[in-house]
Amino acid sequence: MASSVRIAGVGATAVGRLGRSAEELAETALDRALADAGMGRGDLQGLIAVPSLSNPTFMQAHQLATRMGLLPRRKMIVRTIDTGGAGPITSLGTARNMILSGWTDTVAVVASDAVLSMDRELFRARADDSVRGSGLPSPSIPHGYDRVAQWHMARHGVTREQLAMVPVLFSHFAARHPDAMCRRPFSVEDVLASPRVAPVTNVLECARRADGAAALVIASSSYVRRQLAKPLELCPAIVSTGEASGPLYPPAEIGEEMFSCERAAHIAFESAQLSVRDIDFFALYDCFPICFLRALEAVGCCPVGEAGRFVESAYRRLAATGRLAPEEFPFNTHGGLACFGAPWEVPAMYGVLEAVAQLTARAGAERQLSPKPRRALVYGNGGIFSASAVAILGDGVYGARGC
Ligand code: MLC
């Protein structure tokens, strides 16, 4: 059995309007991740892909594997995983399990989409259709999150301004990332003055439509030691993962039972024998501010009902000094979904890539946490709080129930 499972290589394309198909982008990202690991296509023994919205195909991972000449091959497992935006983290966990089970030594995970190059009406129709039956007005996904935001505001006293502060904080980080779509920090006033999409959701608070792809190469530590020139210290371990599910869209009566991030985080913490105090960096899914606020509470960064005030205190520090040090707010230092960019089911991969950059001290002078974090937690969310997947990366408790 493998002693630990490592992220041996990462790769991504640019993010924005790229005018290339999801398949082409996937291929580029995967080849870059393989090159980063010092591997070739011939070294892969597994491939996991998530579906794209712009070009939905039957057995997406098989499509890609066949196109890239990875099949037919005797030792190759190919799987498509659909847990929406949680897909990359579900895939990470699945890849880890495949390796720990001894099925393979190496698995690539790839996510890609081209939803900005899509016709905007077609995007809206397909996005609305993804929550068919919800009865939500169009655009249905923003309206679904908006309903939850309103519920949370009524229950916990979160203010409209506190919601708006979330993308403001992340715009400050995104402006320091060379690949992010948001190029300048914006203010609460900018957010509140941007076009209204739903009652308590404006454009600058929405996951930003984008094209892009990202890939990971995952390998057993013994494979890394044996086959790769890359030092093991530059290959963070996948310490543990956890998953849980909720309904595809909010029920008529919203209640705590529809949320699943807390359970996913609990599973990940327990199997790693770690707690939130052991985590130095967090990549928390933030397709809309309410998703980030709920995640802060679910993983234990603040007590339930306090996330609005938690964000506001970071915002007040930013407003007082004009600058946000990554150590002051060790979350989504790449900028998150609204500010970095959101090619449909790819964004949790950007969370993993930023976590890997942080854990290996490669996030650059502007975003790197100091001291270098030992462990990161990455959370992916699918649908409208419909799927939660959490991964803990970095130093693990090896030999326990972790890796
Ligand atoms: C949009 N714009 C932004 C922005 N979002 N600008 C800055 N920051 C943001 N976050 C800009 C666009 O660039 C464009 O500018 C203008 O707003 C209009 O956006 P559009 O997308 O071109 O068209 P429109 O039909 O008006 O739709 C706006 C929108 C849509 C906000 C309703 O973008 C949308 O639905 N976004 C959310 C996407 C979504 O639901 N993703 C999944 C999240 S759930 P310009 O200059 O070009 O006019 C999830 C879980 C899962 O992540 O499972 O997937």
Side-chain angles (χ1 to χ4, degrees):
M1 190 195 256
S3 53
S4 70
V5 178
R6 303 283 173 152
I7 299 177
V10 297
T13 65
V15 59
R17 188 187 299 276
L18 306 177
R20 295 171 64 202
S21 72
E23 292 70 30
E24 289 169 341
L25 296 172
E27 207 167 323
T28 302
L30 183 48
D31 280 335
R32 287 181 182 166
L34 285 166
D36 184 48
M39 290 165 57
R41 291 184 184 188
D43 300 316
L44 269 185
Q45 299 168 7
L47 178 72
I48 304 177
V50 303
S52 73
L53 192 77
S54 59
N55 187 14
T57 52
F58 179 61
M59 298 173 79
Q60 187 120 5
H62 279 74
Q63 287 276 349
L64 184 64
T66 305
R67 175 189 165 108
M68 291 183 73
L70 304 177
L71 289 172
R73 186 181 292 171
R74 197 179 61 81
K75 193 168 182 187
M76 175 58 102
I77 305 169
V78 170
R79 192 181 282 182
T80 304
I81 285 181
D82 188 3
T83 51
I89 312 300
T90 308
S91 303
L92 196 75
T94 304
R96 176 173 176 269
N97 291 341
M98 284 177 175
I99 291 171
L100 288 177
S101 307
W103 292 11
T104 67
D105 282 323
T106 62
V107 183
V109 174
V110 62
S112 72
D113 219 324
V115 293
L116 188 53
S117 292
M118 256 174 113
D119 172 76
R120 90 200 301 187
E121 292 307 323
L122 181 61
F123 170 78
R124 183 176 285 219
R126 286 192 185 163
D128 286 354
D129 195 50
S130 71
V131 288
R132 195 186 312 150
S134 68
L136 290 160
S138 182
S140 303
I141 295 175
H143 273 280
Y145 282 93
D146 191 274
R147 269 197 64 208
V148 176
Q150 291 185 54
W151 175 82
H152 198 88
M153 289 165 89
R155 193 177 168 96
H156 296 299
V158 171
T159 66
R160 181 68 190 87
E161 287 71 23
Q162 287 170 343
L163 291 173
M165 287 167 193
V166 174
V168 170
L169 289 165
F170 293 138
S171 69
H172 278 260
F173 284 146
R176 301 177 206 167
H177 195 304
D179 299 331
M181 291 178 82
C182 173
R183 299 309 322 149
R184 66 168 185 90
F186 43 71
S187 65
V188 169
E189 293 70 35
D190 293 333
V191 175
L192 297 178
S194 68
R196 191 164 157 247
V197 174
V200 296
T201 308
N202 289 11
V203 160
L204 290 180
E205 297 168 293
C206 294
R208 186 162 182 177
R209 215 152 56 90
D211 306 341
L216 309 171
V217 173
I218 296 164
S220 64
S221 54
S222 49
Y223 183 92
V224 174
R225 276 201 207 91
R226 226 177 38 242
Q227 303 286 345
L228 304 182
K230 200 169 183 177
L232 206 58
E233 311 81 75
L234 292 182
C235 303
I238 305 170
V239 180
S240 68
T241 59
E243 240 188 292
S245 308
L248 184 60
Y249 44 80
E253 285 268 312
I254 295 176
E256 286 295 337
E257 60 287 351
M258 71 164 271
F259 301 104
S260 49
C261 178
E262 189 168 2
R263 168 111 187 106
H266 177 76
I267 294 169
F269 280 134
E270 204 174 65
S271 73
Q273 299 176 11
L274 295 170
S275 81
V276 68
R277 287 182 298 282
D278 300 306
I279 308 296
D280 311 305
F281 173 75
F282 299 82
L284 302 182
Y285 209 84
D286 64 332
C287 48
F288 300 90
I290 187 60
C291 188
F292 181 72
L293 295 188
R294 293 271 340 168
L296 284 173
E297 297 174 4
V299 305
C301 290
C302 64
V304 173
E306 288 296 317
R309 280 178 283 276
F310 183 91
V311 163
E312 181 164 355
S313 74
Y315 171 80
R316 296 276 161 228
R317 288 196 298 276
L318 165 66
T321 61
R323 179 141 184 106
L324 186 64
E327 297 79 19
E328 286 182 289
F329 198 65
F331 300 92
N332 301 354
T333 44
H334 60 304
L337 274 77
C339 297
F340 186 82
W344 199 238
E345 296 191 5
V346 180
M349 282 290 239
Y350 296 142
V352 176
L353 263 53
E354 187 69 0
V356 169
Q358 289 288 355
L359 292 168
T360 56
R362 290 176 163 194
E366 293 276 276
R367 306 188 330 277
Q368 180 64 49
L369 284 158
S370 176
K372 170 172 86 76
R374 273 188 74 194
R375 288 190 203 92
L377 181 149
V378 186
Y379 157 56
N381 156 71
I384 305 175
F385 294 105
S386 320
S388 298
V390 168
I392 296 175
L393 309 177
D395 285 356
V397 184
Y398 307 115
R401 275 188 295 150
C403 43

